[in-house]
Amino acid sequence: MDLSNGGSLDETSPVWSSLDAVKNNRVFKLDGERFWPYDPLAVEAQVQGIANMIQERFGQTEH
């Protein structure tokens, strides 16, 4: 969800609370300033940042 330009999110909404991703703690809030650029170096850093968020939340996975 893009919250720029005055967008908003009501996290107390019953609709929001009913989403499976919300119920299962699988929603990640991303910093728009960090995730807006789309040049190759920025995208690489974004992927690493997302991987770190997933690892921190769900722990190490076996390969």
Side-chain angles (χ1 to χ4, degrees):
M1 167 175 250
D2 183 0
L3 298 179
S4 63
N5 294 319
S8 64
L9 171 63
D10 180 4
E11 293 184 47
T12 63
S13 163
V15 173
W16 175 257
S17 300
S18 73
L19 299 173
D20 286 339
V22 175
K23 289 178 185 178
N24 294 305
N25 195 29
R26 295 185 184 268
V27 174
F28 294 88
K29 295 179 183 176
L30 306 178
D31 175 12
E33 294 295 319
R34 180 175 181 191
F35 286 90
W36 184 253
Y38 53 89
D39 62 89
L41 293 176
V43 171
E44 184 176 358
Q46 293 162 1
V47 168
Q48 187 60 53
I50 292 171
N52 291 342
M53 283 188 270
I54 292 170
Q55 185 176 13
E56 287 172 10
R57 183 165 306 168
F58 300 110
Q60 191 79 333
T61 59
E62 295 182 28
H63 298 283

